[in-house]
């Protein structure tokens, strides 16, 4: 059964099939041809025939096909002229020439159809096939496969997918609405006026002019692509040309942006992008995002893209293939397990919007304030009430004494402030008794005492002392001393017995007496310690010329604080030789400070003795990117700690007095201690030098030779002392159902120990083999021993059965500026990804140096990242199985998703980093605690 069928299609031999066009229409009878799916021959044939149409629609051909069972028999292609064509040909000089021209083009179309659709049969081929035809069919099979993918891509494109892809390809900003575009152009125009010379903007200044100050090379690539569109090779442009360029890159059309991106790679303007051109674009994107490592591997990643987009191995890709990659961006990005992507299927737990009325909003804020600060509040209230009570008591006491008749309220004020000073000089020691606080953290006291704010309370008391000194000293020097020396004789006679030999002292005698000298000395010492402890001095924010530069930095803060030891000695002397108090119980200074001072001195003694006992052996020191090095050392016998705690280190060869705190990055069950140290000061730089540049050392620091734990020559090893462990906010992580751990840069260190501890607790017993863990990769700090947490230690603690942990899930967000930082904890990331079979831990790495996902400068990197992870399971930036996100997290979305997934749970939010982010996280913790049934408790730790 044969049924002839004819298709009429406009075509021309001069059209290039390789030029991809968006504007195409399906034939009207396409649905009839489609059959159940696409009909005989699939969807390609009618679309291809429609694609032969030229814009001017000058040539008309008639294609004759025969449908035979499941085959299409190609019969012929004959010219067919329209009246308009005949008239045009007669004007050109005859219909014969015109017809022959059409015939030639139709024959060309015939060969193109046969070449395009190798599966079409001809009359002769249906009866007999030659070897040459078979070779042609095999040769053209690759073209057919690519066309099938092209047509499928066209049919699958939807408006929503284009809108999503548009968000992933921005040259300017997220929002460029009409008003935004006008405002942005005004800024561009203003920069043009300042950068242009003789009305012309240089090519190398184009990036700065359009706002790509940090991506000038990428901007030059855009400039060249837009210039090639104008068939120009130019080095300078006018304002009118700049406006044209700006209109193109700020266009809200996905097709327009796609074409610019494609033209950036298509340097030879042939409509095809080769592997070398893809490699150049990857290097350009890597340069814009300061990813030097990615530039070194650009060739490998270019081959990866070509393998994905050019499976037929033509050696080039076209515009539609790049479009397919971007349109399927979400598909490529959803390659990873919940480990590194936001979990789906959240059960909505968000309550209604905030109160609308002013009164309700005020009540809501007051309630939030009280619930957030009640622990601080009652401590501060108790402290203020104590000071007020002591002040009033001493004030009234002296008001009823004879000295009041001589010196009046000046004396009462001075004595009242002196009583508060005694209290505060005692209390200021308690927040720095670290061992005591560490013990108290493990008691019930942590539920109503804010131990996390101990240093802040220490600073608050210091400010109160400064105010008390000013009031006390000012009242004496500016008021009662003057009134005493100038008092009438009959009034002085009332208190004459309180002074030596009943003689009235002069003002100078009061100043140079024991009370005057000790008081002035205390003020000077406290002023030095107070000033050098301020952040501007302690953090080296202020810069002074030599030798005054020694007044800034941690060393100045540390040593100046030891002057306070002299202050306490002077304080006891000052409180013993009082003029108006003669009984021992009236001289109460020693009563206030005795217990806190003895407690503090006892702690310092314990620290000194323990440090000698806790001298450690260094197993390994690794130099890591980003001015960081890690130290793996022996665990002293009897040394027990919790994840999240920190230790103090002292290296006597650098300074026998300086102790510096560092978070512990090993897990409590490990048989070693490890810390990660960033070289940001003189001491840390010297520590790195001592342990990495020591000659004849048995452990070569860096990526070098190390002796094993039992094979180290101690005679050649610098001495390192350890003091601790000490309590930190993160140590209480076991008290929460869910953890949200946020670390900025080196601030991730306290959470690494927590992750390892969680992993150890959830690890099956049969995976606790020490030998296997000891043999892990030595590319990271855990190369010595990935985990020595044995089955016995995981089941028992001190012979008692260990209760199951309360914590069910942990979300770790690590935000850093340098891609090399991911090398610090590469082993931990891989270990969590491999061993966390329960899906208990989610890891999220964020690299802020890379432009956010959706920016054209990071678009190609995002796609390479997704393709590489899908194929090899490794992230191209971190080198781990954990995907790296770009820019900064949307913290509000993070909190909302955790609240949705964990209703009625208590979430511990632990943050370590710079203070700038703490306010936002704290605010979100309070806000989401009241808007949802999930309770967020925020804890911070600064470095």
């Amino acid at each position: 059964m044969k049924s002839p069928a004819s298709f009429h299609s406009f075509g021309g031999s001069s059209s290039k099939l390789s030029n991809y066009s968006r504007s195409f229409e399906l034939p009207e009878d396409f649905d009839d041809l489609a059959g159940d799916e696409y009909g005989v021959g699939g969807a390609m044939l009618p679309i291809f025939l429609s694609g032969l149409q030229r814009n001017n629609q000058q040539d008309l051909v008639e294609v004759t096909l025969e449908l035979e069972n499941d085959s299409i028999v190609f019969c012929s292609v004959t010219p067919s002229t329209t009246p308009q064509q005949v008239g045009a040909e007669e004007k050109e000089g005859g219909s014969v020439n015109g017809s022959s021209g059409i015939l030639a083009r139709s024959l060309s179309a015939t060969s193109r159809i046969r070449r395009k659709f190798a599966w079409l049969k001809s009359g002769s081929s249906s009866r007999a096939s030659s070897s040459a035809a078979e070779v042609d069919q095999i040769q053209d099979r690759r073209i057919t496969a690519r066309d099938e993918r092209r047509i499928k891509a066209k049919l699958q494109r939807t408006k929503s997918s284009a809108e999503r892809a548009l968000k992933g390809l921005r040259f300017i900003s997220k929002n460029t609405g009409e008003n935004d575009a006008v405002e942005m152009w005004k800024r561009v125009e203003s920069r043009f006026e300042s950068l242009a010379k003789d009305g012309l903007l240089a090519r190398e200044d184009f990036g700065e002019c359009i706002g790509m100050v940090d991506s000038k090379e990428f901007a030059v690539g855009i400039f060249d692509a837009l210039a090639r569109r104008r068939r120009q090779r130019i080095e300078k442009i006018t304002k009118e040309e700049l406006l044209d360029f700006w209109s193109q890159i700020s266009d809200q059309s996905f097709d327009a942006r796609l074409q610019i991106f494609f033209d950036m790679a298509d340097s030879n303007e042939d409509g095809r992008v080769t592997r070398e051109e893809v490699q150049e674009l990857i290097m350009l994107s890597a340069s814009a995002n300061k990813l030097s490592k990615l530039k070194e591997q650009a060739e490998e990643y270019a081959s990866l893209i070509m393998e994905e987009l050019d499976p037929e191995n033509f050696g080039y890709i076209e515009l539609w293939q790049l479009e397919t990659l971007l349109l399927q961006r979400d598909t490529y990005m959803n390659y990873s397990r919940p480990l590194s992507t936001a979990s789906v299927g959240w059960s909505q737990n968000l309550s209604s919007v905030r109160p609308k009325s002013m009164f309700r909003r005020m009540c809501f804020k007051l309630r939030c304030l009280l619930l957030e600060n009640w622990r601080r509040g009652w401590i501060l209230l108790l402290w203020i009430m104590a000071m007020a009570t002591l002040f009033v008591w001493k004030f009234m006491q002296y008001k009823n004494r004879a000295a009041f008749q001589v010196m009046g309220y000046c004396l009462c004020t001075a004595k009242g402030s002196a009583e508060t000073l005694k209290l505060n000089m005692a209390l200021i020691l308690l927040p720095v008794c670290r061992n005591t606080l560490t013990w108290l953290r493990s008691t019930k006291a942590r539920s109503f005492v804010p131990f996390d704010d101990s240093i802040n309370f220490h600073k608050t008391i210091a400010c109160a002392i400064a105010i008390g000194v000013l009031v006390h000293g000012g009242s004496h020097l500016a008021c009662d001393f003057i009134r005493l020396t100038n008092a009438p004789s009959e009034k002085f006679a009332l208190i004459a017995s309180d002074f030596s030999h009943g003689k009235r002292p002069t003002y100078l005698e009061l100043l140079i007496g024991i009370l005057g000298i000790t008081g002035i000395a205390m003020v000077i010492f406290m002023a030095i310690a107070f000033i050098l402890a301020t952040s501007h001095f302690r953090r080296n924010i202020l810069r002074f010329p030599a030798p005054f530069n020694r007044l800034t930095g941690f060393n100045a803060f540390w040593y100046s604080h030891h002057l306070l030891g002299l202050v306490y000695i002077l304080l006891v002397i000052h409180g013993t030789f009082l003029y108006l108090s003669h009984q021992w119980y009236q001289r109460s200074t020693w009563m206030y400070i005795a217990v806190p001072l003895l407690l503090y001195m006892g702690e310092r003694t314990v620290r000194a003795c323990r440090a000698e006992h806790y001298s450690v052996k260094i197993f390994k020191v690794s130099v890591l990117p980003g001015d960081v090095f890690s130290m793996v050392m022996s665990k002293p016998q009897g040394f027990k700690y919790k994840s999240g705690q920190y230790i103090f280190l002292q290296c006597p060869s650098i300074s026998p007095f300086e102790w510096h705190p560092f978070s512990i990055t090993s897990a409590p069950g490990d048989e070693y201690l490890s810390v990660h140290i960033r070289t940001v000061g003189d001491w840390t730089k010297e520590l790195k030098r001592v342990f990495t540049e020591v000659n004849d050392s048995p452990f070569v620091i860096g990526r070098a030779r190390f002796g094993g734990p039992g094979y180290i020559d101690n005679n050649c090893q610098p001495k390192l002392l350890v003091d601790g462990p000490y309590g930190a906010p993160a140590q209480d992580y076991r008290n929460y159902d869910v953890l949200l751990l946020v670390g900025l840069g080196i601030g991730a260190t306290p959470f690494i120990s927590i992750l390892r501890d969680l992993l150890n607790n959830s690890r099956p017993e049969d995976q606790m083999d020490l030998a296997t863990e000891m043999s892990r990769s030595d590319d990271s700090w855990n190369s010595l021993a990935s985990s020595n947490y044995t089955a016995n230690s995981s089941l028992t603690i001190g012979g008692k059965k260990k209760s199951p942990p309360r914590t069910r899930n942990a979300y770790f967000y690590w935000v850093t500026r340098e891609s090399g930082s991911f090398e610090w904890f590469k082993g931990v990331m891989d270990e969590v990804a491999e061993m966390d079979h329960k899906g208990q831990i989610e890891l999220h790495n964020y690299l802020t140096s890379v432009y956010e996902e959706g920016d054209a400068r990071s678009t190609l990197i995002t796609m390479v990242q997704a393709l590489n992870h899908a194929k090899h399971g490794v992230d191209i930036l971190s080198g781990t199985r954990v995907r790296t996100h770009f820019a900064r997290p949307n913290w509000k979305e993070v909190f909302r998703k955790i609240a949705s997934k964990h209703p009625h749970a208590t979430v511990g939010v632990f943050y370590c980093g710079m203070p700038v982010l703490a306010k936002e996280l704290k605010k979100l913790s309070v806000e989401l605690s009241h808007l949802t049934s999930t309770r967020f408790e925020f804890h911070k730790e600064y470095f």
Side-chain angles (χ1 to χ4, degrees), residues 17 97 206 211 246 428 488 490 579 642 659 723 841 874 876:
L17 294 179
N97 295 335
F206 180 71
W246 176 259
I428 199 170
E490 59 275 11
Y579 287 117
K642 298 179 181 179
W659 292 87
D723 177 38
I841 303 172
V874 177
I876 62 174

Side-chain angles (χ1 to χ4, degrees), residues 725-838:
Y726 291 109
Q731 78 173 56
D732 297 326
Y733 74 94
R734 289 180 178 271
N735 300 324
Y736 298 95
D737 304 313
V738 181
L739 301 179
L740 175 56
L741 311 174
V742 181
L744 260 62
I746 199 65
T749 50
F751 308 132
I752 295 301
S753 178
I754 294 176
L755 294 178
R756 290 181 56 80
D757 194 33
L758 289 174
L759 190 64
N760 287 338
N761 290 330
S762 63
R763 180 177 298 170
E765 293 183 27
D766 58 353
Q767 295 178 349
M768 309 285 276
D769 183 65
L770 173 62
T772 302
E773 299 299 333
M774 288 284 288
S775 64
R776 292 200 179 273
S777 169
D778 59 358
D779 285 340
S780 64
W781 68 276
N782 68 327
S783 59
L784 174 68
S786 179
S787 177
N788 295 325
Y789 201 68
T790 63
N792 291 334
S793 66
S794 66
L795 295 176
T796 62
I797 294 179
K800 297 181 180 180
K801 189 172 182 180
K802 184 178 178 181
S803 60
R806 174 182 175 182
T807 304
R808 304 191 305 266
N809 294 89
Y811 301 87
F812 176 51
Y813 284 80
W814 186 13
V815 185
T816 182
R817 290 180 296 181
E818 302 172 357
S819 59
S821 301
F822 297 125
E823 289 284 338
W824 303 347
F825 309 115
K826 180 179 178 182
V828 179
M829 299 293 181
D830 284 332
E831 188 179 7
V832 171
E834 180 181 353
M835 305 302 295
D836 183 29
H837 302 291
K838 298 180 181 179

Side-chain angles (χ1 to χ4, degrees), residues 819-883:
S819 59
S821 301
F822 297 125
E823 289 284 338
W824 303 347
F825 309 115
K826 180 179 178 182
V828 179
M829 299 293 181
D830 284 332
E831 188 179 7
V832 171
E834 180 181 353
M835 305 302 295
D836 183 29
H837 302 291
K838 298 180 181 179
Q840 183 183 14
I841 303 172
E842 282 192 18
L843 305 179
H844 301 263
N845 294 338
Y846 279 82
L847 186 62
T848 58
S849 64
V850 178
Y851 292 97
E852 61 184 346
E853 295 170 4
D855 195 294
R857 288 165 286 190
S858 63
T859 295
L860 199 57
I861 297 176
T862 302
M863 303 316 302
V864 169
Q865 182 192 46
L867 291 173
N868 189 76
H869 197 285
K871 183 175 181 180
H872 303 294
V874 177
D875 183 77
I876 62 174
L877 297 177
S878 66
T880 68
R881 295 174 60 184
V882 182
R883 179 193 161 198

Side-chain angles (χ1 to χ4, degrees), residues 510-523:
L510 292 173
L511 290 180
I512 64 175
I514 294 178
L515 289 175
I517 292 176
T518 55
I520 293 173
M522 283 192 293
V523 171

Side-chain angles (χ1 to χ4, degrees), residues 37 112 176 225 263 414 486 502 517 530 588 651 782 831 854 891:
E37 292 183 358
R112 288 170 56 204
T176 50
D263 291 343
N486 296 323
I517 292 176
F530 186 88
S588 58
C651 184
N782 68 327
E831 188 179 7
W891 293 115

